Amino acid sequence: MAKLYGVGVGPGDPELLTIKAMRILQSVPVVCVPRSSYDSDSFALSIVEGVIDKARQEIIPLIFPMSKDKDITKKFWDESAIIIEEKLKAGKDVACISIGDPFFYSTFIYVFENLKERLKDLAVEIVPGVSSVNASSAAAILPLAKANERVAVLPATYEKEMLSDALKNYDTIVLMKVNRVFDEVLAVLEEMGLKDKSVFISRCGTAEQRIVWNLDLLKGKELDYLSMIIVRKQG
């Protein structure tokens, strides 16, 4: 059977693609790209357009809707797994690209787990990518950790109590996808005296990259989905 590749393409800057990612993406006959809907563009595809050859390679969109309804998302994960399974059984290597890293808050994980159940002899290789956490730290010129400092990474589903505990117990706290909960997070940061130790980063590595240290400027604003806050308590 052919091989499945999970390929991380980084946060947005094509220059952050690894040499290995480029080599695999140029060699496989099939490249699967994530989209949030049938008529939307693929941000991940835009990162690698200069690497792949659409005339020679088959580019297949995989639909991953932005929904918290597990029945809805599972339907699309199943459909994506079936598409990939057919290509693998036909002897074609498949590369599934993921923004950032394929095993770090990536929808690819669910498709991969689905395929593992379908194909007991699944051959797979994961190509790590630069995560948005590391890229945002670099863009803001803000170290994530040194010596024995501890780092916490929280997704957007955190509750206030969970957020407060993390802010108390860790030296650096990365809050992912804060766009819908920004005002609530800002209130907690202000309450705990950490607002001035925080930075907001969105669309890291793209032409639309935004870095904001004065979080008050963002209160009540509509923010990009690809956004985070890094809170660094030390130095």
Side-chain angles (χ1 to χ4, degrees):
M1 186 182 296
K3 179 182 280 190
L4 170 67
Y5 294 92
V7 181
V9 299
D13 183 350
E15 291 188 338
L16 291 179
L17 278 172
T18 65
I19 295 173
K20 186 170 187 177
M22 292 178 63
R23 174 179 60 79
I24 290 172
L25 290 174
Q26 289 172 340
S27 66
V28 295
V30 180
V31 179
C32 291
V33 301
R35 289 183 182 175
S36 59
S37 65
Y38 290 105
D39 57 355
S40 66
D41 294 327
S42 171
F43 178 48
L45 177 59
S46 71
I47 299 171
V48 302
E49 281 183 318
V51 174
I52 60 177
D53 182 354
K54 293 182 180 180
R56 178 178 56 84
Q57 296 168 288
E58 185 178 7
I59 312 301
I60 301 177
L62 303 179
I63 308 304
F64 300 130
M66 308 295 289
S67 173
K68 292 183 179 180
D69 187 327
K70 291 185 178 180
D71 291 332
I72 293 176
T73 53
K74 186 179 184 306
K75 171 180 176 292
F76 285 93
W77 297 337
D78 289 344
E79 290 178 358
S80 296
I82 291 170
I83 291 170
I84 296 169
E85 180 182 7
E86 290 175 350
K87 296 300 177 181
L88 293 173
K89 286 183 174 179
K92 295 181 178 181
D93 290 342
V94 177
C96 291
I97 60 175
S98 298
I99 300 170
D101 182 272
F103 272 2
F104 187 69
Y105 291 119
S106 170
T107 307
F108 170 76
I109 298 171
Y110 301 104
V111 177
F112 163 67
E113 291 174 341
N114 191 311
L115 282 165
K116 277 203 307 180
E117 293 181 2
R118 293 174 180 273
L119 302 170
K120 301 308 179 185
D121 56 347
L122 176 67
V124 63
E125 182 174 346
I126 304 301
V127 181
V130 177
S131 77
S132 59
V133 174
N134 298 100
S136 295
S137 165
I141 320 294
L142 183 68
L144 283 174
K146 60 184 180 182
N148 61 347
E149 292 176 349
R150 300 192 301 163
V151 179
V153 180
L154 278 66
T157 53
Y158 38 74
E159 303 290 338
K160 181 177 179 180
E161 184 178 347
M162 181 192 304
L163 174 59
S164 298
D165 287 344
L167 290 168
K168 289 176 184 176
N169 297 320
Y170 291 86
D171 302 286
T172 300
I173 304 90
V174 181
L175 307 176
M176 308 284 291
K177 300 173 183 175
V178 297
N179 57 315
R180 292 183 179 179
V181 292
F182 179 85
D183 287 0
E184 293 91 329
V185 170
L186 180 60
V188 174
L189 292 173
E190 192 160 22
E191 180 183 316
M192 299 184 68
L194 294 171
K195 185 176 68 174
D196 294 336
K197 295 182 179 293
S198 306
V199 59
F200 171 90
I201 309 103
S202 66
R203 288 276 167 180
C204 184
T206 72
E208 295 79 35
Q209 176 176 290
R210 189 180 186 192
I211 300 173
V212 180
W213 289 90
N214 183 356
L215 300 190
D216 286 329
L217 297 175
L218 303 175
K219 188 173 183 179
K221 300 293 178 64
E222 184 174 343
L223 303 175
D224 194 280
Y225 172 73
L226 295 174
S227 63
M228 72 174 63
I229 292 174
I230 300 177
V231 183
R232 177 152 175 78
K233 293 158 70 174
Q234 307 297 323

